[in-house]
Amino acid sequence: MKPQRFALTPGEPAGIGPDLCLLLAAQSQPHPLIAITSCDLLTERAAQLGVAVSLISVTPAAWPDVPAPAGSLYVWDTPVNAPVVAGQLDKANGSFVLETLTRAGQGCMDGHFAGMITAPVHKGVINDSGIAFSGHTEFLAELTHTEQVVMMLATGNLRVALVTTHLPLRDVADAITVERLERVTRILHADLVNKFGIARPRILVCGLNPHAGESGHLGREEIDIIEPTLARLRSEGLDLYGPLPADTLFTPKYLEHCDAVLAMYHDQGLPVLKYKGFGAAVNITLGLPIIRTSVDHGTALDLAGTGKIDAGSLRVALETAYQMAETHS
């Protein structure tokens, strides 16, 4: 595969994102990887960690076409608003985090990057800065003018996509509409084909209620919404199986014969996936006109600057973005 440029955003500057970037620099990547962050921040964190790394400043005026040598990292310098102390949040840097995401996302839209990989942000401190922010997924949807996106996490051969994401549990049932379920299912199917190269993906669909509603005795969402929607999509050729009770769907009997699971809400599907592969999983945003992958963990403020971190999830996110770009190209 011809080398393509990718953007890397370190997320919350007081968290482990900068540390992860520095760990990645120890080994050469197969593609030019551009960290969009503050050179001063990385220099200070490298000194704190005792890591020797050469930071190579780059700009849109002269993007590199070859990977950085081992022990070095390309950086598109994006200054922080306030000094950063590892482990200590500062709302003054909320707009800095969003600027790095904007540069990466717009760079993908403009064709400068084949995809973007994101380290974790801290939603609370961005909101404390006076900026309404519900997450990477929603921010990138707005940036790219995308009406509907889908969150999917993957580890090994298990992929779990979500019909709803960051909603209070009491709001989930009302959010499971025919329109939303149909849009999400179509996006999941299309991106499994176009970005993962699966010719005819088989998707297992969870029910919303315990025992998938128990024939209506434990809720009617399966009967009134989920089953009719899946039947209509099957008539168009989509390979969908369900709705199945979530407590038995995640067993080898079913999983070994599927390409993805569609869960109705966040804590229905993700606990299983993270139990299986936490630290080696990747978060993927489907439905965007760009490729975006991310780590499966948070900012880990207590570990920032300590050197006691594992870059496994970020490496999986990188590898997944590279593979998706090759399939999508």
Side-chain angles (χ1 to χ4, degrees), residues 195-272:
K195 294 180 180 176
F196 288 86
I198 303 171
R200 192 169 189 268
R202 181 172 177 79
I203 300 169
L204 302 186
V205 182
C206 296
L208 172 65
N209 298 294
H211 300 180
E214 195 80 64
S215 300
H217 296 289
L218 295 177
R220 291 195 55 86
E221 285 82 5
E222 287 77 11
I223 293 173
D224 295 339
I225 297 171
I226 301 175
E227 290 175 2
T229 303
L230 299 186
R232 185 171 61 258
L233 293 172
R234 284 191 201 101
S235 71
E236 298 179 15
L238 276 67
D239 189 2
L240 308 171
Y241 192 61
L244 293 169
D247 64 343
T248 54
L249 181 155
F250 290 99
T251 56
K253 170 185 174 182
Y254 294 109
L255 293 180
E256 64 187 13
H257 300 298
C258 84
D259 296 297
V261 173
L262 183 59
M264 292 295 127
Y265 57 95
H266 188 279
D267 282 13
Q268 182 182 58
L270 298 193
V272 179

Side-chain angles (χ1 to χ4, degrees), residues 22-69:
L22 295 168
L23 286 181
L24 285 177
Q27 297 177 327
S28 177
Q29 294 294 318
H31 302 278
L33 181 66
I34 316 296
I36 303 177
T37 188
S38 162
C39 283
D40 288 343
L41 168 62
L42 291 183
T43 299
E44 292 165 5
R45 193 65 60 86
Q48 184 173 354
L49 294 170
V51 173
V53 61
S54 173
L55 303 180
I56 305 171
S57 182
V58 297
T59 69
W63 290 126
D65 291 323
V66 296

